[in-house]
Amino acid sequence: MDGIECSIISKSELERTLRIDSEFYQNRYLIADQKMRSLDYESLVRYVDVSDGNHAGISDKFTDEGVPYYRGQDSGTFFIENSNPICIDKDSFNMPIMRRSHLKKNDVLLSIVGTIGAVSLVYSNKDATCSCKLAILRPKNTDNAELLAVFLNSKYGQMQIARYTRGAVQKGLILEDMDQLIMPEFREDFRNTIRSIVMRAFEQDASANVSISDAQTMLSDCLNMGDIGLLNMPIAVKKLSESLLKSGRLDAEYYQPKYDALFEALSCFNCKPLGGGKGIVRIKKSIEPGSEAYLEEGIPFVRVSDVNKYGIAKTEVFIDHNTVQNIESLYPKKDTILFSKDGSVGIAYKVENDSKFVTSGALLHLIVRNTKEVLPDYLTLVLNSPVVQLQAERDSNGAIIQHWKPSEIEQVVIPVLDMPTQEIIAAKVQESFALRRKSKELLEYAKQAVEMAIELGEDTALTWLSDKVG
């Protein structure tokens, strides 16, 4: 019986829909459930009203700017406003069919399809909406919002979500099962302390956003970018020698005037190609083992959907150590820039420390050749700026699924500012990431405190929190 679990359940103890699948009765689920039921508790629906987002087809209304339309892939960022969502126009947002999915401050969003269990908190009153891949948990008492989001992120919330997930090929958490999730009743002083920590985390995040915005503004001002990305002149006249014979491209989108304006602005500065023999970086490729190699544990396998310019989300996909020989050579080192070439192209994130994960082939590894000439933090900001995003848009335009050829990425034009200016910009980038790390640390402390309160009592958890955060 080594390694084999056995649980004996009476028929009278079966849940509402009489589930008898063995996964539902794993020991870890039963132990967690028993621990919570040993305390005063309530059904989740005692604390929240439950609904979900928009079910209507609206993809033809998607825009780059407008009202945020959050989807499953946007959840998991604790403060949902820090995600990078697609948008819809104001008229679409105000359609009668959309009103049921309008979001309010203090709503808790829970991913119920795809990446099930990702939790986010709506922390502003700005117009926003979401898809039906997200459940909207609207607190009946807004004082419970922060605690609810932290609890659902804790192991006790996540284990319940995993336990009540249904389905085989397409798994999901159905709204009707929300009343089977429970949450212990916490004292008011504990709830207020958690709320205070979440508020402090939000303030750190807001300061981080200011710092990165300052860096972006400084870069734009130094390069005199102005409103190049907003130019929308409909006509460009090109000779054959200036178009097909030079670039091999004959699609009209490639020759939009805004691209000419971009390269004209860059011509005033010292510029270098991103890659190639004389480029700023060496470009390393990773692997694409295929979904058949995916495991539930092993070496974390990071895909494009797991990466944004602020960090890497916790992945649910792993691969075996023996997937390829010398797999450790694929681990990103400190200051490696991960750069997406497929799907959401042109996303750059600099790895803060030597890491033990493998990325998909859709993420290139960029290693700066000479950090005395170009700082990695500066380069990452440039890669995420309109300077490179416009080049990505030009090269990958017209494709159903965006793909940016590595040969085109090598030729990306990068402005190399003087080192003192780079250092000022890099310092603001580093400040932003330090503040964001502090925010994540505070949220982690809040989560640990909730788990400790359930296991050891709220007084012990409050004492521990006081030692950690004051």
Side-chain angles (χ1 to χ4, degrees), residues 144-173:
N144 290 325
E146 292 87 355
L147 178 61
L148 173 65
V150 172
F151 170 76
L152 290 175
N153 257 324
S154 75
K155 66 181 180 183
Y156 289 97
Q158 289 295 303
M159 275 199 279
Q160 291 187 86
I161 292 165
R163 189 183 189 194
Y164 282 96
T165 295
R166 301 175 180 272
V169 178
Q170 180 67 45
K171 292 187 176 183
L173 180 66

Side-chain angles (χ1 to χ4, degrees), residues 434-446:
L435 289 164
R436 213 172 294 281
R437 282 194 298 272
K438 181 62 178 176
S439 175
K440 289 181 178 178
E441 181 182 76
L442 289 169
L443 293 173
E444 182 63 25
Y445 286 152

Side-chain angles (χ1 to χ4, degrees), residues 444-464:
E444 182 63 25
Y445 286 152
K447 184 179 76 173
Q448 292 179 34
V450 166
E451 294 169 355
M452 192 177 294
I454 293 171
E455 295 166 0
L456 301 174
E458 290 165 89
D459 288 334
T460 300
L462 287 171
T463 300
W464 178 82

Side-chain angles (χ1 to χ4, degrees), residues 127-242:
D127 286 345
T129 183
C130 68
S131 80
C132 60
K133 302 294 179 68
L134 297 173
I136 303 170
L137 311 181
R138 183 157 292 161
K140 296 176 181 178
N141 178 354
T142 55
D143 288 348
N144 290 325
E146 292 87 355
L147 178 61
L148 173 65
V150 172
F151 170 76
L152 290 175
N153 257 324
S154 75
K155 66 181 180 183
Y156 289 97
Q158 289 295 303
M159 275 199 279
Q160 291 187 86
I161 292 165
R163 189 183 189 194
Y164 282 96
T165 295
R166 301 175 180 272
V169 178
Q170 180 67 45
K171 292 187 176 183
L173 180 66
I174 62 175
L175 300 186
E176 287 78 5
D177 278 340
M178 291 292 182
D179 65 348
Q180 304 212 70
L181 306 185
I182 62 173
M183 185 171 84
E185 292 187 310
F186 296 95
R187 296 194 317 243
E188 184 178 2
D189 60 337
F190 183 80
R191 184 178 67 220
N192 289 340
T193 299
I194 296 299
R195 187 191 313 131
S196 174
I197 292 173
V198 171
M199 290 173 66
R200 286 171 62 179
F202 180 77
E203 289 166 0
Q204 297 288 327
D205 250 359
S207 297
N209 291 337
V210 170
S211 293
I212 200 69
S213 178
D214 287 347
Q216 292 164 341
T217 299
M218 184 175 181
L219 176 67
S220 179
D221 289 347
C222 288
L223 298 175
N224 300 315
M225 286 290 102
D227 296 324
I228 286 175
L230 302 178
L231 291 177
N232 195 27
M233 293 178 282
I235 297 174
V237 179
K238 298 286 184 183
K239 297 177 182 177
L240 192 62
S241 59
E242 298 173 316

Side-chain angles (χ1 to χ4, degrees), residues 30-46:
L30 298 178
I31 292 169
D33 186 71
Q34 184 180 29
K35 185 63 184 175
M36 286 187 291
R37 291 181 188 275
S38 70
L39 308 171
D40 292 335
Y41 68 90
E42 290 283 356
S43 165
L44 189 68
V45 296
R46 162 71 174 75

